[in-house]
């Protein structure tokens, strides 16, 4: 199995889907808004050469994640899993933002589980950690089950929500889907400009509302347009909102009701974008949005920042929610599908936990 770092630049694409595809240039920063007159066709051998020159996924991670990884690796490099080594593992996970309750649950399970200490303790623990994610399908399917898939995206201010939406839209276009973005953040002119600039870069149509317009009205018009003009994927950008603001939560509920007027089964995905650098505060956000709106999954951003990484295990353990993807930078392709085995390998060190 290829390691995760070989997938940088090709998120959500299988090997056979890459050949003869139209490729948007990947090294596009948010402030690099340039019209692209031609889209190069990237051949398989060109992609292979590009991959060889890319940094590994681990090298894109922030220093705190690397420190977490180092601490956990040191703790699990033991010949025997005894009380002392369990205490060291417990301390390492507590420092990783896993949280006290989730750490205690994991340590209790490790104590109760008959881990084979005669062989490789690291591999046994890696396998155990991987299983914490195994009962959930983390893949985000962008293709519609019927005529149109509607994805509603929300999150607090500064979570990287709008950039993540652009990355998702680009992934959809790479899959030959007809994509429409609804820019329903009508509170900030900058938000409208940002999503329109991204749409211009990746050459995707966007329906924007006027400043001060009812966001639900924008969503309704975009949904009707997507249905009437036979789009495959509609991604809705909403205004950033604090999870404890009741009136803004009510606005999200209204948007959801409006969407159902056109399709009772929509939105098909309700995704919360989470800033992974806020550590255990992610749990408060999930609690609030899940109770008010009902989540179908989360996307974790800014793994290249000060994130420690442990909260990802805590989210799955506590909420049983899929983690669809990880943001590891601001470039258009810096969105990596969440694959538990690869995440555990990055957390514990390369090759640890891989099946022979």
């Amino acid at each position: 199995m290829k390691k995760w770092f070989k997938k940088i630049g090709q998120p959500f694409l299988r090997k056979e889907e890459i050949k003869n595809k139209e490729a948007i240039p990947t090294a596009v920063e948010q402030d690099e808004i340039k019209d692209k007159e031609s889209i190069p066709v990237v051949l398989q051998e060109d992609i292979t050469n590009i991959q060889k020159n890319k940094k590994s996924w681990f090298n894109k991670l922030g220093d705190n994640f690397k420190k977490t990884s180092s601490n956990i690796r040191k703790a699990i490099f033991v010949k025997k899993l005894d009380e002392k080594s369990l205490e060291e593992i417990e301390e390492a996970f507590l420092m990783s933002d896993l949280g006290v309750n989730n750490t205690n649950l994991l340590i209790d399970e490790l104590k109760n589980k008959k881990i084979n200490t005669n062989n490789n303790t690291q591999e046994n623990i890696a396998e155990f950690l991987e299983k914490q994610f195994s009962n959930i399908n983390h893949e985000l399917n962008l293709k519609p089950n019927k005529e149109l898939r509607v994805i509603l995206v929300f999150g607090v201010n500064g979570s990287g929500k709008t950039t993540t939406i652009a990355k998702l839209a680009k992934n959809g276009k790479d899959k030959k889907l007809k994509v429409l973005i609804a820019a329903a953040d009508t509170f900030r002119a900058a938000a409208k400009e940002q999503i329109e600039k991204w749409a211009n870069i990746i050459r995707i149509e966007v329906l924007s509302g006027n400043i001060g317009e009812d966001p639900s009205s924008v969503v309704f018009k975009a949904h009707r347009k997507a249905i009437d003009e036979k789009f495959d994927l509609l991604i809705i950008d909403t205004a950033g909102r604090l999870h404890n603001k009741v009136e803004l939560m009510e606005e999200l509920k209204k948007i959801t009701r409006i969407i159902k007027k056109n399709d009772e089964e929509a939105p098909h995905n309700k995704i919360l974008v989470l800033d992974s650098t806020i550590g255990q505060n992610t749990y408060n956000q999930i609690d609030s949005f899940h109770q008010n709106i009902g989540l179908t999954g989360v996307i974790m951003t800014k793994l290249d920042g000060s994130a420690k990484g442990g909260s990802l295990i805590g989210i799955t353990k506590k909420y049983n929610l899929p983690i669809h993807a990880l943001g590891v930078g601001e470039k258009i392709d810096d969105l990596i599908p969440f694959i538990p085995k690869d995440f555990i390998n990055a957390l514990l060190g390369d090759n640890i936990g891989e099946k022979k």
Side-chain angles (χ1 to χ4, degrees), residues 62-311:
D63 290 339
N64 282 356
F65 189 101
K66 293 176 183 177
K67 185 176 180 180
T68 295
S69 173
S70 177
N71 290 339
I72 293 175
R73 285 204 309 274
K74 289 177 183 177
I76 67 175
F77 266 74
V78 293
K79 293 182 179 180
K80 185 178 181 180
L81 197 62
D82 53 20
E83 284 297 322
K84 182 180 178 180
S85 60
L86 280 170
E87 287 180 6
E88 292 174 350
I89 293 171
E90 180 179 15
E91 181 179 352
F93 277 113
L94 281 172
M95 296 296 291
S96 76
D97 278 337
L98 179 59
V100 175
N101 291 335
N102 289 315
T103 298
N104 289 338
L105 284 172
L106 282 174
I107 294 300
D108 287 343
E109 288 188 29
L110 282 171
K111 288 179 179 178
N112 295 329
K113 182 179 174 63
K114 293 181 179 179
I115 288 183
N116 183 0
T117 57
N118 294 324
N119 294 319
N120 194 318
T121 303
Q122 304 97 285
E123 290 187 5
N124 278 285
I125 292 176
E127 183 179 354
F128 170 78
L129 291 175
E130 186 186 332
K131 286 182 179 178
Q132 306 307 309
F133 300 98
S134 63
N135 64 329
I136 301 174
N137 179 13
H138 295 276
E139 182 182 4
L140 177 60
N141 183 17
L142 299 179
K143 296 180 180 179
N145 291 331
K146 296 179 180 178
E147 289 82 13
L148 172 70
R149 177 171 292 275
V150 180
I151 299 179
L152 178 64
V153 184
F154 40 84
V156 303
N157 293 309
S159 63
K161 171 178 55 63
T162 302
T163 304
T164 298
I165 287 172
K167 294 172 182 178
L168 288 175
K170 197 261 184 181
N171 289 333
K173 183 174 182 178
D174 285 345
K175 293 179 180 294
K176 303 300 185 184
L177 301 177
K178 187 179 180 181
V179 183
L180 175 67
I181 296 176
D185 182 352
T186 58
F187 295 105
R188 296 186 305 118
K192 175 183 175 182
E193 292 172 2
Q194 184 185 12
I195 198 67
E196 288 177 347
K197 286 178 179 179
W198 272 117
N200 181 50
I201 290 172
I202 57 181
R203 295 184 176 184
I204 285 177
E205 191 170 351
V206 57
L207 189 149
S208 302
N210 298 316
I211 299 302
E213 185 178 352
D214 185 347
S216 297
S217 173
V218 179
V219 170
F220 182 83
K221 287 186 288 187
H223 197 185
R224 279 297 348 150
K225 176 182 176 68
I227 293 172
D228 295 341
E229 298 181 21
K230 299 189 182 305
F231 281 82
D232 301 304
L233 176 63
L234 170 64
I235 307 176
I236 301 170
D237 183 21
T238 59
R241 63 202 68 228
L242 292 174
H243 58 281
N244 56 2
K245 295 295 183 181
V246 176
E247 67 276 12
L248 293 178
M249 285 297 180
E250 291 300 319
E251 180 187 271
L252 271 182
K253 291 179 183 178
K254 181 181 178 182
I255 288 174
T256 303
R257 292 195 300 269
I258 290 296
I259 292 172
K260 291 188 179 297
K261 288 183 180 294
N262 288 318
D263 181 354
E264 184 60 36
E265 296 180 1
H268 306 97
N269 301 90
K270 292 180 283 185
I271 298 175
L272 175 62
V273 176
L274 287 166
D275 178 351
S276 61
T277 66
I278 65 174
Q280 295 178 55
N281 286 329
T282 56
Y283 304 138
N284 296 330
Q285 291 186 27
I286 293 174
D287 282 335
S288 181
F289 280 101
H290 205 16
Q291 290 171 10
N292 284 281
I293 312 300
L295 304 178
T296 62
V298 301
I299 292 177
M300 305 293 292
T301 63
K302 305 185 183 181
L303 264 294
D304 57 321
S306 59
K308 297 179 180 179
S311 60

Side-chain angles (χ1 to χ4, degrees), residues 21-53:
K21 271 193 171 288
E22 288 186 334
I24 302 296
T26 59
V28 181
E29 299 289 349
Q30 275 185 277
D31 57 350
E32 290 180 276
I33 312 302
K34 296 180 180 180
D35 292 332
K36 308 297 180 183
E37 295 184 357
S38 62
I39 302 175
V41 175
V42 181
L43 300 177
Q44 182 62 49
E45 55 266 30
D46 296 325
I47 292 172
T48 301
N49 291 332
I50 291 170
Q51 287 175 339
K52 290 179 180 178
N53 295 323

Side-chain angles (χ1 to χ4, degrees), residues 308-324:
K308 297 179 180 179
S311 60
L312 277 73
I313 302 174
I315 287 169
T316 304
K317 189 75 177 171
K318 183 175 180 179
Y319 300 100
N320 205 38
L321 282 170
I323 300 172
H324 294 309

